[in-house]
Amino acid sequence: MFGTRPKLVLYVDGVALVTRMRGFGTTVFAEMSALAERTGSINLGQGFPDQDGPAEVLEAAVDAIRSGANQYPPGPGVEDLRQAVAEHQKRFYGVDCDPDGEVLVTAGATEAITAAVLALCEPGSEVVVFEPFYDSYAAAIALAGAQRRAVPLQPPDWSLDPGRLRAAVSPRTRMVILNSPHNPTGKVFSVEELDAIAEVCQERDLVAVTDEVYEHLVFDGQHVPLATREGMAERTLTVSSAAKTFSVTGWKVGWVTGPAGLVGAVRTVKQFLTYVNGAPFQPAVAAGLRLPDSFFASTAWSLRERRDQLCAGLVAAGFAVHVPAGTYFVMADTGPLGYLDGAALAREMPERCGVVAVPAAAFYSDPSAPTPLLRFTFCKQNAVLDEAVRRLQRLRR
Ligand code: PMP
Ligand code: GLN
């Protein structure tokens, strides 16, 4: 009986970790934010805005608290929010979903993705991710006892080779996790790439889980959900979140939409992870999702301007950048400045120039393999970006 238990093999800060979580310590984002705090540096690492989101949304949460929405909400989420998510999917993508059964509210996109992996994968299942990949995917796959198969996105434009995707799929593959717009590269997958992924999913009978948390932060081109491509609605769980769209990363309200069978499977797991989440935030997010088109356009427009500001500043400081089409991140190559190991530079930067960035190595299967790339966020005020860019000039040697 004891043989079936995972063995305790590792301690992090004195706390035992099971074998499945070997290699997972503190997330790099928290680590870099703590470093910025400790050293008083400008934090262009962890992605969170330094300004509040729309007042209507914040006020709606305050009103909800005052009017008593402070107890457990319904298991699948507050009805008004499920309805608003369905309206949003119809309005922006022409997708119909039934708020009753095809929409589930979750504790952020993170829980939706983790619960989907736990619901649909067994020990030994394989899950395909595109590398570089967001750190929580690796952790969710490990928690499920599944295996990760990484398909590289090729720099500088982070293109996808469908041949490599096909080669990564085996008879044990259960799922593909796709993040578009993509953290950390800022890539927005093209319809050709989406169709190549759709073809493989259908050929090999895979479920797609799509992380679309940056869906409204697109500057060049257009965000197209994988679920809207031919044959994909019935095998895709589409995940998003209020965090980025409404600048409320601390609220942890996300959602997943898709066929009732798949959404129901996620709900079964969610019930025992968090049961429910954030009652007063849910009506507020519903109000946000119903804001006029002008809100969504102006959010993207304002970020686009800051993207251009930071990219120009990074180039002036000697980095090479590939301008991101979406998200609020840019990958900067430190090679032209004479550095080969971005992680080492990231640790030195607070002292050298008073700026914090995230080493891109954290998004790779082997985080100890040196890469010259650093990820910077531009979801900060213009004056903060200006000062950061001025300080980064000190890295030239
Ligand atoms: N996916 C990606 C790609 C992210 O960058 C983030 C960061 N917030 C998340 C998921 C997590 O979203 P949430 O805070 O809604 O859990
Ligand atoms: N998504 C945020 C980022 O990529 C971080 C969220 C977190 O700290 N887990 O920076």
Side-chain angles (χ1 to χ4, degrees):
M1 180 194 170
F2 282 99
T4 62
R5 287 194 182 171
K7 268 188 273 163
L8 299 175
V9 290
L10 190 77
Y11 287 79
V12 173
D13 297 335
V15 178
L17 274 181
V18 294
T19 317
R20 280 181 185 173
M21 294 306 283
R22 177 185 252 157
F24 292 91
T26 309
T27 88
V28 70
F29 308 113
E31 200 183 312
M32 298 320 279
S33 281
L35 179 63
E37 187 91 7
R38 217 165 46 239
T39 58
S41 299
I42 296 180
N43 187 358
L44 302 188
Q46 191 176 30
F48 62 89
D50 60 356
Q51 279 176 305
D52 273 338
E56 307 89 306
V57 175
L58 304 181
E59 285 305 324
V62 173
D63 288 349
I65 290 174
R66 291 220 167 93
S67 62
N70 300 309
Q71 310 309 327
Y72 298 126
V78 166
E79 191 183 345
D80 188 39
L81 175 55
R82 283 184 283 117
Q83 181 66 45
V85 168
E87 287 166 19
H88 171 276
Q89 295 308 98
K90 182 74 179 171
R91 167 174 157 204
F92 287 98
Y93 310 118
V95 170
D96 286 301
C97 42
D98 182 351
D100 217 357
E102 294 181 341
V103 180
L104 172 71
V105 176
T106 56
T110 310
E111 187 193 39
I113 295 161
T114 300
V117 174
L118 290 171
L120 301 171
C121 296
E122 296 184 287
S125 300
E126 293 180 6
V127 178
V128 171
V129 296
F130 299 99
E131 186 170 38
F133 52 82
Y134 185 59
D135 65 347
S136 83
Y137 309 161
I141 294 165
L143 282 170
Q147 299 295 319
R148 184 174 73 239
R149 295 286 171 256
V151 175
L153 299 174
Q154 222 49 59
D157 59 351
W158 308 104
S159 56
L160 168 66
D161 173 353
R164 296 193 75 156
L165 169 57
R166 268 208 170 73
V169 175
S170 85
R172 286 186 298 280
T173 309
R174 180 82 179 113
M175 178 184 285
V176 174
I177 302 180
L178 170 69
N179 171 214
S180 182
H182 183 259
N183 178 10
T185 66
K187 172 190 173 73
V188 176
F189 281 69
S190 68
V191 286
E192 291 74 21
E193 289 170 321
L194 295 178
D195 286 343
I197 297 167
E199 202 176 300
V200 173
C201 288
Q202 288 168 59
E203 251 173 47
R204 310 299 293 267
D205 196 19
L206 310 179
V207 173
V209 174
T210 63
D211 177 346
E212 306 185 17
V213 299
Y214 299 99
E215 62 187 319
H216 290 293
L217 312 187
V218 174
F219 324 117
D220 304 322
Q222 205 193 342
H223 169 63
V224 177
L226 183 63
T228 63
R229 306 309 294 169
E230 178 93 42
M232 288 308 287
E234 60 263 39
R235 59 177 66 248
T236 303
L237 283 166
T238 302
V239 174
S240 193
S241 161
K244 322 291 165 181
T245 304
F246 305 115
S247 298
V248 289
T249 60
W251 284 13
K252 299 303 290 189
V253 174
W255 51 88
V256 51
T257 59
L262 290 177
V263 171
V266 180
R267 186 181 164 195
T268 301
V269 175
K270 189 245 156 45
Q271 286 182 116
F272 301 108
L273 288 177
T274 53
Y275 177 46
V276 291
N277 56 285
F281 300 125
Q282 295 192 29
V285 172
L289 289 171
R290 294 190 176 114
L291 285 172
D293 291 355
S294 55
F295 162 76
F296 296 91
S298 69
T299 303
W301 185 254
S302 143
L303 267 174
R304 182 197 175 108
E305 187 218 334
R306 287 177 281 157
R307 170 198 71 174
D308 293 343
Q309 181 188 358
L310 182 60
C311 288
L314 287 168
V315 169
F319 292 89
V321 302
H322 186 77
V323 178
T327 76
Y328 42 47
F329 302 113
V330 53
M331 288 275 245
D333 188 342
T334 62
L337 280 165
Y339 299 94
L340 294 174
D341 183 355
L345 178 59
R347 278 190 298 275
E348 288 171 22
M349 273 171 49
E351 198 175 318
R352 302 254 325 260
C353 66
V355 176
V356 160
V358 169
F363 297 85
Y364 285 85
S365 299
D366 178 6
S368 63
T371 148
L373 299 172
L374 291 177
R375 189 197 77 176
F376 289 85
T377 183
F378 45 88
C379 60
K380 306 292 174 186
Q381 297 177 61
N382 298 101
V384 174
L385 295 177
D386 264 344
E387 174 60 17
V389 159
R390 208 178 53 72
R391 293 182 184 192
L392 286 167
Q393 299 280 350
R394 297 183 204 150
L395 290 179
R396 282 188 195 278
R397 41 183 193 186

